[in-house]
Amino acid sequence: MSTPYDDIDQLAINTIRTLALDAVEQAKSGHPGLPMGAAPMAHVLWTRYLRYNPADPSWPGRDRFVLSAGHGCMLLYALLHLTGYDLSLEDLKNFRQWESRTPGHPERGHTPGVEATTGPLGQGTGNAVGMAIAGKHLAARFGDAAGFRVFALVSDGDLMEGVSGEASSLAGHLALDNLVFLYDDNHVTIDGDTQLAFTEDRAARYAAYGWHTLTVEDGNDLDAIDAAIAEAIAHEGQPTFISVKTIIGFGSVDAGTSRAHSDARGPEQQAETKRALGFDPEKFFFVPEEVSARYGEALDRGAALEAEWKQTVGPIPGPEVPELVIEPFDGDEKPMATRAASGKVIAQLAGQVPLLLGGSADLTPSNNTKPEGWDDFEPGAYAGRYLRFGVREHGMSAIANGLAASGLRPYAATFFNFLDYAKPAVRLSALSRLPVVWIYTHDSIGLGEDGPTHQPVEQLATLRATPDICVFRPADANETVAGWRIALGRTELPTALILSRQALPVLDPARYPIADAARGGYVLEGDPEPDVILIGTGAEVHLALAARGLLRERGVSSRVVSLPSWELFEEQSESYRNEVLPLEIEARVSVEAAATLGWERYVGLHGAVIGLDRFGASAPGTTALEHLGFTAERVADEAERVVQAASIPSGGQRGDSES
Ligand SMILES: Cc1ncc(C[n+]2csc(CCOP(=O)(O)OP(=O)(O)O)c2C)c(N)n1
């Protein structure tokens, strides 16, 4: 501690408290309890230790502050305003209003200075671990100055969520000593005291994860908080968990109870609380001049820190990706699983995309995610680009978000079915516009013997229903190349590559217009004016191709459309989409070994959807596919049926197969 804390520090802390209170009262909703209890630790961190420059929120050398308990966002908004980020008092007054810069939970990319989109409890813990990995990795590869520290404020709810256990366990293993958790140990959640459902020894839990643990007995004791943070920073070889005992809603009549957690309590309580904190109840959103001045020091301090950093840091590559050189797969290649093709692509990308790094949730040999020659990222070997996430799909995914938020280009892999274990973080990658490449192999019942517990059915529909994520299910090795190009070209949004376990024929680029796969959908082959259009994705494209052969023998002309990505296809011009799927051709059949939900969009009212609206079965993949109706014969039969139905004039029994 350089200079002693004084009355202005106390006034500053109470300013944060009253700003949070006024904002919640004005919005008539929100969470004042956490900001009021945790203001002192945030004050100490933001005035004495955190390295940031409010004038340049994207300064790469800054420390990261993650408010994992995102419901307490008025704490962060108040700090951002007071320290000079581009967030005005007017913005604070608009807390939680339409199009305001102060939404109900922090949103990365929306409010300057917000590092992570938090609110779903637990996510921020994983994001912080990802950022700490990024800090270590950048320092190891590009020099110490390229690294940074990460501080996360975490709550009881954060620590109850399983994802915090997954991420913290890995952080301990990795000995990330640039990571500090400040635990807002206030013993209160929405339902009441933590005695109701959360009684383990949290510090002991973190010690068991391999963290250094510290306790601050009084969350209002600035010197004790200061000493703990200083010790955490100095401590080497372990991340640090500081349990800070606080009083939720400090200053209010409801302090220390779950009533203080959320909601406006009305003008009377508001006035009473402000009086208790030494503030004039008639003044709203009031920032004393001395407090402005104290926090205002952050601008000069930040400018100096950044200037000094620029002198010492060497060049660091950015997340942008150069023109990629990826060898196409020859039409003579033996059939190859798209997961295997993806592995070969990653090996080629390794040298071309400097900040590419990634790993798998303990399925490396199955996901084909480790390029030859890449070292593991392990304690003492932080330059390694391969991440051993362990069996922690949710933690892996929240960590990948933190890596992407730090400017790296991460990929993270598991079996497609286990998307369900990771979905909250995958959703947030889209919401917070992070360019993670999600690799999901074993993409259908075609995976075979592992059976219905491992066979995805509804996962494609789930991802397609998620805004802003590009879902790409390639039909072969060459479409897999296209998928990777798309994924890395998207510098602001995530992509999910949905890959097969089973080998698939390689589509010869000399014969098929594979480059058009990048448009999400294209005519693979067929007659210009076909009787029927067969639409497939992934492995089932090959069924459509085989069905086309059968239909030819039956005198029915057809076209096969490969539709690896609905989202990319929807981005194409209307005229292109009409070229691929001409409106006048109503006889259409889709085939995809997954839930049928949504395919009506492409086959229309008179088409047929071949899919899977039940769970799979344990059997060899080809057997499971056959028994569950994924055969070329069935596709051809359905095609014939819809062609016949389409030829019945309207008013007739069109589309009724029994007629
Ligand atoms: C994943 C998730 N589940 C539920 C919620 C709803 N929720 C918001 S705050 C909260 C309890 C918070 O308790 P704590 O984390 O101790 O915060 P504090 O009461 O100290 O503000 C819950 C359940 C949420 N935000 N995220």
Side-chain angles (χ1 to χ4, degrees):
M1 188 177 58
S2 37
T3 40
Y5 290 96
D6 59 21
D7 291 348
I8 298 176
D9 293 296
Q10 201 49 58
L11 192 61
I13 288 163
N14 286 340
T15 303
I16 292 177
R17 288 172 165 145
T18 52
L19 285 176
L21 183 69
D22 284 351
V24 170
E25 289 297 327
Q26 173 123 331
K28 298 199 167 49
S29 77
H31 303 80
L34 185 146
M36 295 173 78
M41 67 175 112
H43 174 82
V44 171
L45 181 67
W46 281 64
T47 53
R48 303 280 174 114
Y49 292 102
L50 196 71
R51 292 163 50 91
Y52 59 102
N53 182 3
D56 184 4
S58 58
W59 166 34
R62 71 195 184 282
D63 287 342
R64 276 36 169 198
F65 175 77
V66 175
L67 181 69
S68 188
H71 61 275
C73 55
M74 263 312 301
L75 174 69
L76 181 53
Y77 297 151
L79 285 163
L80 292 173
H81 165 67
L82 292 167
T83 53
Y85 282 84
D86 181 16
L87 196 70
S88 66
L89 209 52
E90 211 47 44
D91 291 320
L92 299 196
K93 291 178 185 166
N94 279 325
F95 181 48
R96 296 188 148 224
Q97 303 310 303
W98 178 252
E99 290 192 335
S100 83
R101 303 175 88 193
T102 46
H105 292 84
E107 295 176 30
R108 179 186 178 274
H110 184 85
T111 311
V114 169
E115 302 283 3
T117 299
T118 54
L121 289 162
Q123 291 299 322
T125 64
N127 300 158
V129 173
M131 291 174 189
I133 290 174
K136 284 285 181 194
H137 185 68
L138 291 168
R141 285 179 61 193
F142 306 106
D144 282 349
F148 45 82
R149 286 200 179 85
V150 184
F151 298 88
L153 198 152
V154 308
S155 67
D156 293 309
D158 284 310
L159 298 190
M160 276 189 253
E161 291 291 351
V163 64
S164 68
E166 295 183 21
S168 302
S169 157
L170 187 60
H173 163 77
L174 291 172
L176 302 175
D177 58 12
N178 59 340
L179 177 64
V180 179
F181 277 7
L182 289 155
Y183 167 36
D184 181 33
D185 187 3
N186 64 22
H187 283 274
V188 168
T189 64
I190 291 178
D191 273 12
D193 195 279
T194 45
Q195 283 304 320
L196 289 173
F198 188 45
T199 47
E200 80 247 21
D201 181 336
R202 277 76 102 175
R205 180 175 139 200
Y206 271 77
Y209 291 148
W211 291 50
H212 179 51
T213 61
L214 297 168
T215 302
V216 173
E217 291 297 341
D218 174 2
N220 284 319
D221 181 342
L222 303 187
D223 293 332
I225 295 169
D226 190 299
I229 296 177
E231 183 178 337
I233 289 173
H235 187 79
E236 291 184 6
Q238 286 176 302
T240 297
F241 177 85
I242 309 175
S243 185
V244 186
K245 297 196 188 304
T246 60
I247 298 170
I248 191 167
F250 183 86
S252 75
V253 288
D254 289 328
T257 74
S258 60
R259 285 189 304 282
H261 164 85
S262 62
D263 302 329
R265 296 280 147 195
E268 272 175 34
Q269 257 202 44
Q270 182 183 13
E272 201 176 331
T273 305
K274 279 160 90 170
R275 256 184 246 112
L277 293 170
F279 275 58
D280 180 349
E282 298 304 320
K283 289 186 180 161
F284 297 91
F285 293 95
F286 178 60
V287 180
E289 264 172 41
E290 315 85 291
V291 171
S292 281
R294 169 98 3 131
Y295 280 120
E297 290 164 11
L299 277 167
D300 283 348
R301 195 171 56 235
L305 284 169
E306 183 170 347
E308 187 196 323
W309 177 84
K310 281 188 173 141
Q311 304 289 316
T312 48
V313 76
I316 312 173
E320 315 73 36
V321 167
E323 190 64 36
L324 296 173
V325 182
I326 310 174
E327 283 293 309
F329 292 87
D330 208 295
D332 296 337
E333 290 254 14
K334 283 208 285 275
M336 183 189 300
T338 51
R339 62 173 171 147
S342 168
K344 290 177 193 286
V345 173
I346 298 174
Q348 294 182 64
L349 295 172
Q352 300 180 57
V353 185
L355 295 187
L356 186 74
L357 83 174
S360 155
D362 198 46
L363 288 169
T364 297
S366 303
N367 295 147
N368 294 70
T369 37
K370 187 169 191 292
E372 212 143 291
W374 271 21
D375 292 327
D376 288 343
F377 179 97
E378 284 292 332
Y382 293 131
R385 291 166 75 179
Y386 196 71
L387 294 157
R388 302 286 183 179
F389 287 109
V391 192
R392 300 182 180 101
E393 294 81 8
H394 196 180
M396 166 177 79
S397 306
I399 288 170
N401 287 345
L403 292 167
S406 310
L408 303 184
R409 298 304 312 265
Y411 61 84
T414 184
F415 288 160
F416 192 24
N417 199 45
F418 301 140
L419 162 68
D420 294 5
Y421 273 45
K423 180 65 179 24
V426 174
R427 180 176 195 268
L428 282 178
S429 72
L431 175 55
S432 38
R433 308 183 71 81
L434 295 167
V436 180
V437 185
W438 304 111
I439 299 178
Y440 298 120
T441 70
H442 297 56
D443 70 346
S444 79
I445 50 168
L447 70 87
E449 294 84 345
D450 273 344
T453 55
H454 284 49
Q455 293 165 340
V457 173
E458 72 281 20
Q459 284 66 21
L460 272 169
T462 303
L463 279 187
R464 285 178 182 146
T466 308
D468 290 333
I469 182 161
C470 172
V471 185
F472 198 99
R473 183 170 186 246
D476 84 323
N478 283 313
E479 282 196 5
T480 307
V481 174
W484 264 105
R485 282 188 189 283
I486 292 288
L488 289 176
R490 284 162 63 91
T491 51
E492 287 212 336
L493 286 170
T495 306
L497 299 176
I498 315 300
L499 306 173
S500 75
R501 172 188 185 228
Q502 73 270 37
L504 303 175
V506 175
L507 298 168
D508 186 350
R511 178 169 170 204
Y512 298 106
I514 303 286
D516 285 343
R519 308 179 84 164
Y522 65 110
V523 179
L524 201 54
E525 71 173 27
D527 306 296
E529 290 181 18
D531 297 323
V532 62
I533 304 176
L534 310 176
I535 314 166
T537 78
E540 288 74 61
V541 167
H542 301 278
L543 281 187
L545 285 170
R548 181 172 136 71
L550 296 177
L551 287 168
R552 201 184 297 118
E553 289 165 16
R554 300 182 198 177
V556 177
S557 66
S558 66
R559 154 184 297 188
V560 173
V561 168
S562 176
L563 200 66
S565 171
W566 291 15
E567 296 79 15
L568 293 176
F569 189 61
E570 294 303 326
E571 283 172 14
Q572 305 306 309
S573 67
E574 199 178 338
S575 67
Y576 176 77
R577 281 183 281 136
N578 274 339
E579 251 171 63
V580 177
L581 297 174
L583 285 174
E584 63 278 12
I585 306 176
E586 294 191 355
R588 302 174 178 198
V589 178
S590 71
V591 55
E592 183 175 72
T596 57
L597 187 73
W599 273 104
E600 310 79 14
R601 168 186 303 198
Y602 293 114
V603 303
L605 291 176
H606 308 301
V609 179
I610 300 178
L612 191 67
D613 290 318
R614 52 157 282 180
F615 291 115
S618 173
T622 45
T623 312
L625 283 163
E626 255 175 59
H627 278 271
L628 293 170
F630 294 92
T631 62
E633 286 72 22
R634 169 146 181 242
V635 177
D637 291 350
E638 285 291 323
E640 257 194 303
R641 184 179 71 72
V642 294
V643 169
Q644 275 167 20
S647 65
I648 297 169
S650 55
Q653 306 245 324
R654 184 180 207 176
D656 181 351
S657 59
E658 303 302 320
S659 66

